[in-house]
Amino acid sequence: MTSFLASSRVPMLLVLVLLTLTSLTGSSLGNFYQDFDIIWGDWRAMILNDGELLNLNLDQASGSGFQSKNEYLFGKIDMRLKLVPGNSAGTVTAYYLQSKGSAWDEIDFEFLGNLSGDPYILHTNVYSQGKGEKEQQFYLGFDPTADFHTYSILWNPQRIIFYVDGSPIREFKNMESIGVPFPRYQPMRIYSTLWNADDWATRGGLVKTDWSQAPFTASYTSFNASNACVWINGASSCDTNNFSPPAWLSEDLDSTNLDKLQWVQTNNMIYNYCTDAKRFPQGFPPECNMS
């Protein structure tokens, strides 16, 4: 009689192959226990629901934060967030990629809290070799505190694209050919923090944090880095002769998404460093002339 183990050998092999592929390309729909470490805030950062939900809290004593266990060099990364409700003025919820060192690279989503009834401001920025100053800010067009919404970063050697609920809001292209640094060489971890920034976050610091509303809470779920290259021991999981390069590694915006991007930039953008003449009296950065 054929044993159960013998009859299960092929399915078991398939499972092992799938587990190997998952470890090579990043986590699938994530478990916060497996994918992240709490780095700040002690009990203010809490993993719940068997690893499916993570809450960050801010009170007058401290904020909180977490970081990914893995480092990535390029990827398409999704996270669903529900932001601090009510009077969130003075608070910042930051969700970003960042490398190590004094000449770091960074790709930022920052959500600037506001008074009850006023819209959140989504602040985006890109750093390369420790230099940023590439801010664009947007209104979201919905209440990001009422439910979870998906915030995504596509980062490949040609471009960085910021997405909200699957629609592009910003594209930062690789323009190294004209001397603009681009984050292409340093692996980055995923971070998120909830902290007090009432010296600048809301109306330039005019509105302060109302600590009677504390604790402030931001929630996270549905992390997905299945389309990302994990950096392990100085090598990328995507550098292998056994697999063809993933499509996202050369992904561009098609005509439909270019139209969506243009609509958001026309209707929802409230600040663009490339149009701030007072900030750059000697002339705009070179990438602004290529837009």
Side-chain angles (χ1 to χ4, degrees):
M1 180 181 295
T2 303
S3 71
F4 174 78
L5 286 175
S7 65
S8 302
R9 186 169 298 149
V10 172
M12 286 296 290
L13 286 173
L14 287 173
V15 169
L16 289 172
V17 169
L18 288 171
L19 287 173
T20 300
L21 288 173
T22 299
S23 67
L24 283 171
T25 57
S27 304
S28 57
L29 282 177
N31 181 290
F32 285 104
Y33 285 119
Q34 297 173 2
D35 296 323
F36 292 94
D37 292 317
I38 305 301
I39 57 170
W40 177 42
D42 299 321
W43 55 267
R44 295 172 186 83
M46 298 181 291
I47 299 175
L48 306 167
N49 296 356
D50 296 322
E52 294 183 0
L53 178 70
L54 191 153
N55 284 348
L56 292 183
N57 289 278
L58 165 68
D59 59 28
Q60 197 162 5
S62 179
S64 53
F66 62 87
Q67 71 175 28
S68 63
K69 295 179 185 294
N70 286 329
E71 291 181 294
Y72 303 92
L73 187 61
F74 307 125
K76 193 173 186 179
I77 294 166
D78 306 320
M79 185 83 82
R80 289 177 61 77
L81 279 73
K82 183 162 64 172
L83 300 179
V84 175
N87 181 2
S88 58
T91 71
V92 173
T93 305
Y95 161 54
Y96 57 103
L97 292 164
Q98 188 181 63
S99 66
K100 301 174 183 175
S102 58
W104 76 97
D105 294 342
E106 187 173 331
I107 304 169
D108 287 344
F109 279 111
E110 289 186 322
F111 303 91
L112 312 185
N114 218 328
L115 294 167
S116 298
D118 290 343
Y120 260 83
I121 292 174
L122 171 56
H123 176 99
T124 66
N125 204 351
V126 176
Y127 287 75
S128 185
Q129 302 172 24
K131 297 179 180 179
E133 298 187 336
K134 303 183 188 305
E135 302 92 343
Q136 290 184 357
Q137 295 182 340
F138 305 85
Y139 286 142
L140 289 166
F142 56 83
D143 181 358
T145 74
D147 202 352
F148 286 92
H149 292 268
T150 303
Y151 303 92
S152 308
I153 294 169
L154 169 65
W155 169 38
N156 66 32
Q158 296 82 37
R159 58 189 46 83
I160 295 163
I161 304 174
F162 297 78
Y163 291 89
V164 176
D165 288 334
S167 293
I169 65 164
R170 179 179 184 181
E171 180 181 29
F172 184 81
K173 294 181 179 179
N174 183 337
M175 289 176 274
E176 291 174 303
S177 61
I178 61 169
V180 180
F182 185 85
R184 196 157 66 94
Y185 304 102
Q186 301 186 69
M188 297 195 265
R189 293 188 191 275
I190 301 162
Y191 295 86
S192 191
T193 55
L194 174 58
W195 51 290
N196 177 43
D198 66 4
D199 57 332
W200 66 271
T202 306
R203 299 183 187 176
L206 294 176
V207 182
K208 302 300 183 181
T209 304
D210 180 0
W211 293 111
S212 70
Q213 304 297 313
F216 303 97
T217 303
S219 300
Y220 304 74
T221 190
S222 303
F223 168 67
N224 186 3
S226 58
N227 294 310
C229 300
V230 179
W231 188 258
I232 306 173
N233 298 324
S236 169
S237 62
C238 295
D239 291 341
T240 173
N241 294 324
N242 297 323
F243 307 103
S244 59
W248 61 262
L249 203 53
S250 57
E251 186 174 330
D252 198 354
L253 291 174
D254 60 20
S255 59
T256 299
N257 277 310
L258 282 171
D259 288 343
K260 291 180 179 179
L261 176 67
Q262 183 60 51
W263 190 94
V264 170
Q265 300 249 319
T266 300
N267 293 281
N268 287 6
M269 182 187 288
I270 58 172
Y271 178 80
N272 182 3
Y273 75 106
C274 279
T275 61
D276 191 343
K278 290 183 179 179
R279 185 176 174 187
F280 301 105
Q282 305 304 316
F284 291 112
E287 68 269 18
C288 297
N289 299 321
M290 302 296 291
S291 301

